[in-house]
């Protein structure tokens, strides 16, 4: 297998460090708009890059034709997208045009309903990709979408629960929480702030079997969820996320939700950004002291003012937990479980030099690639993780040295 990895930021760099320890692929082309960043990701592998299995290239992820040409020139079997969601569609279409498989960790962007944003869906996450499913099926190629940790591992947990733990499912709720702290910063998000703003300030989507998909106000339905392995109780709120759109396609459940443990302080800062218009992606004119003007997105300015999450690992402590809470029945009796994956930042920094949140995101697409390379996972069209068998993925994740757990909720 030859892989084109687009994006050499925190997650992309962690992907190279994880993949370097595996032997399922022949070559990784690490490509980024900033060639120096791609070269640094490869160089950081040290002896792991010396075997010729990694190389660096420059690419503009928004240039579909250039990406397709790079895929063809490098004879890549699959494109792994480690950029932010703005670049999903050009990369997705480039892979199709080049006859490559495709894998991402976040899906095409949503657009709120113009008249009723907090009641009715507009364009949903992934709609643009699902609209191209027939073209992918006809091509005989697979677009595996939402294959990070959330979405991704959380969807695998949903499939596993449906296959092995429940006869009927009342509700599937993704619940994400952490007790991470960053020394020296009052506000330092542990993941890409552009993506965080997008998913937290857009209208959250909820699925109900009798109603379909609908939206609510941001940060709605607060609940306190007790996370395992010492993290403890964290208040979680509804957030827009791909699992709510993906899971109902392949898993039968009466209700599907996604709730994120943000905390009152974090929510307050996001509300302030929104009130000031600093969450906007529409460029505004800014004039410098020399009178020269430039147009810039307020959200990009916010991102530029905050520390790069990938650089925070040395200052970070604590654990992060991604998981799927499932409630239903088994053998006629009520059952409730939480399937989860916890990463300790001290462990991920010691073992891989990557902070916990980006490492937890990065390990899952590498596991998926290995299953695809071995033919254990296969398919055509546009598929989510829950469309494929869960047990091989969870077994291989454990073999990577990162076990998962199941907690009976009583």
């Amino acid at each position: 297998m030859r892989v084109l990895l687009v994006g050499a930021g925190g997650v992309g760099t962690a992907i190279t460090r994880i993949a370097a320890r595996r032997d399922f692929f022949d070559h990784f082309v690490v490509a980024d708009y900033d060639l120096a960043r791609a070269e640094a990701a490869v160089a950081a592998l040290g002896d792991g890059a010396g075997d010729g299995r990694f190389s660096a290239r420059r690419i503009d992820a928004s240039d579909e034709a250039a990406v397709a040409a790079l895929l063809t020139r490098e004879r890549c079997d699959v494109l792994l997208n480690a950029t932010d969601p703005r670049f999903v569609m050009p990369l997705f279409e480039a892979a199709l045009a080049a006859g490559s498989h495709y894998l991402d960790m976040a899906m095409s962007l949503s657009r709120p309903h113009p008249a009723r944003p907090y009641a009715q869906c507009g364009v949903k996450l992934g709609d643009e990709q699902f609209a191209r499913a027939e073209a992918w099926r006809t091509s005989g190629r697979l677009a595996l979408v939402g294959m990070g940790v959330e979405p991704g591992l959380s969807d695998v947990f949903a499939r596993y629960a449906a296959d092995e733990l429940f006869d009927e499912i009342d509700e599937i709720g993704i619940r994400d929480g952490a007790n991470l702290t960053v020394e020296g910063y009052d506000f330092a998000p542990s993941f890409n702030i552009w993506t965080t703003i997008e998913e937290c300030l857009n209208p959250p989507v909820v699925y109900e079997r009798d109603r379909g998909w609908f939206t609510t106000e941001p940060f709605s339905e607060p609940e306190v969820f007790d996370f395992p392995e010492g993290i403890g109780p964290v208040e979680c709120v509804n957030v827009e996320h791909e699992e709510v759109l993906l899971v109902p396609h392949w898993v039968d459940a009466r209700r599907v939700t996604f709730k994120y443990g943000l905390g009152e302080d974090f929510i307050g800062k996001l509300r302030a950004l929104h009130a000031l218009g600093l969450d906007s992606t529409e460029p505004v004119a800014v004039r410098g002291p020399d009178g020269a003007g430039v147009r810039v997105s307020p959200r990009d300015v916010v991102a530029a003012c905050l520390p790069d999450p990938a650089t925070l690992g040395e200052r970070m402590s604590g654990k992060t937990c991604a998981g799927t809470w499932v409630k239903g029945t088994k053998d006629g009796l009520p059952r409730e479980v939480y399937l989860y994956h916890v990463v300790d930042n001290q462990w991920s920094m010691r073992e891989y030099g990557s902070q916990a949140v980006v490492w937890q995101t990065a390990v899952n697409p590498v596991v998926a690639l290995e299953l695809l390379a071995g033919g254990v996972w296969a398919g055509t069209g546009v598929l989510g993780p829950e469309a494929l068998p869960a047990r091989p993925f969870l077994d291989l994740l454990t073999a990577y040295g990162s076990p998962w757990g199941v907690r009976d909720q009583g």
Side-chain angles (χ1 to χ4, degrees):
M1 173 182 279
R2 294 179 63 87
V3 181
L4 173 60
L5 169 65
V6 182
V11 173
T13 297
I15 285 170
T16 64
R17 293 171 180 175
I18 297 164
R21 303 187 184 189
R22 309 299 295 184
D23 61 5
F24 66 87
F25 64 95
D26 300 307
H27 195 78
F28 252 79
V29 178
V30 184
D32 196 278
Y33 188 81
D34 182 350
L35 177 59
R37 190 161 72 162
E39 291 174 334
V42 172
L45 300 174
D47 292 340
D51 59 8
R53 294 196 302 159
F54 293 85
S55 60
R57 299 287 185 271
R58 184 191 180 279
I59 196 64
D60 180 348
S62 68
D63 189 337
E64 180 183 323
V67 175
L70 181 60
L71 282 162
T72 300
R73 187 165 62 250
E74 295 288 346
R75 298 175 289 110
C76 291
D77 304 290
V78 58
L79 187 159
L80 172 52
N81 176 2
T83 65
D84 74 54
R86 287 174 290 182
F87 303 106
V88 162
M89 288 312 295
L91 294 174
F92 176 82
E93 294 290 357
L96 179 61
S100 300
H101 301 293
Y102 170 86
L103 194 153
D104 64 30
M105 291 163 273
M107 298 180 69
S108 59
L109 291 169
S110 64
R111 292 191 294 278
H113 191 277
R116 304 184 66 209
Y118 303 127
Q120 189 172 334
C121 293
V123 175
K124 301 189 298 300
L125 291 168
D127 275 357
E128 289 183 86
Q129 289 174 286
F130 281 126
R132 298 285 282 149
E134 184 56 37
W136 278 88
R137 280 192 293 269
T138 301
S139 75
R141 296 294 183 266
L142 170 64
L144 178 56
V145 296
M147 191 58 255
V149 60
E150 292 172 343
L153 178 57
S154 51
D155 302 77
V156 173
F157 283 149
R159 174 79 273 158
Y160 176 80
D163 288 347
E164 302 196 27
L165 303 182
F166 290 85
D167 296 324
E168 292 187 1
I169 295 176
D170 294 320
E171 183 167 355
I172 294 174
I174 315 306
R175 299 293 184 264
D176 179 297
N179 61 359
L180 294 168
T181 59
V182 182
E183 181 185 1
Y185 289 98
D186 291 329
F187 185 56
S190 58
F191 200 69
N192 181 295
I193 189 60
W194 200 101
T195 304
T196 301
I197 290 172
E198 181 75 14
E199 63 190 25
C200 291
L201 292 178
N202 275 353
V205 180
V206 174
Y207 172 83
E208 292 180 359
R209 184 189 293 157
D210 298 333
R211 187 176 175 183
W213 287 286
F214 61 93
T215 56
T216 72
E217 295 275 351
F219 316 121
S220 58
E221 298 183 0
E223 68 174 59
V224 175
F225 192 86
D226 187 18
F227 289 92
E229 298 194 21
I231 295 174
V234 179
E235 185 176 74
C236 299
V237 293
N238 278 328
V239 166
E240 181 191 49
H241 232 254
E242 287 90 342
E243 291 94 327
V244 180
L245 290 313
L246 284 169
V247 169
H249 280 282
W250 291 282
V251 178
D252 185 22
R254 290 188 175 87
R255 194 169 195 260
V256 183
T257 59
F258 180 98
K259 293 189 180 183
Y260 198 3
L262 295 173
E264 185 177 343
D265 180 68
F266 198 98
I267 290 174
K269 287 181 169 64
L270 290 174
R271 289 190 189 278
L273 289 174
H274 179 64
L276 294 169
L278 295 176
D279 60 325
S280 173
T281 60
E282 292 299 319
V284 297
V286 178
R287 191 167 301 280
D290 60 355
V294 64
R295 293 184 64 79
V296 61
S297 155
R299 192 184 299 184
D300 287 339
V301 172
V302 171
C305 290
L306 291 172
D308 179 352
T311 67
L312 298 175
E314 296 291 348
R315 293 174 172 264
M316 187 182 292
S317 60
K319 299 177 181 179
T320 184
C321 178
T324 303
W325 165 74
V326 187
K327 181 180 180 180
T329 59
K330 177 69 173 178
D331 298 328
L333 298 174
R335 190 174 193 192
E336 186 176 340
V337 302
Y338 182 59
L339 301 99
Y340 64 90
H341 183 251
V342 171
V343 177
D344 186 318
N345 187 74
Q346 184 178 11
W347 175 86
S348 64
M349 287 297 298
R350 182 181 67 248
E351 294 293 321
Y352 287 89
S354 296
Q355 57 103 318
V357 177
V358 298
W359 190 91
Q360 189 182 46
T361 303
V363 67
N364 295 288
V366 181
V367 172
L369 285 174
E370 184 161 344
L371 292 174
L372 292 169
V376 179
W377 272 11
T380 60
V382 179
L383 302 180
E386 52 278 278
L388 299 165
R391 172 59 75 174
F393 186 99
L394 296 174
D395 288 346
L396 188 54
L397 179 64
T398 301
Y400 271 52
S402 191
W404 55 283
V406 182
R407 182 180 68 187
D408 197 307
Q409 300 289 94

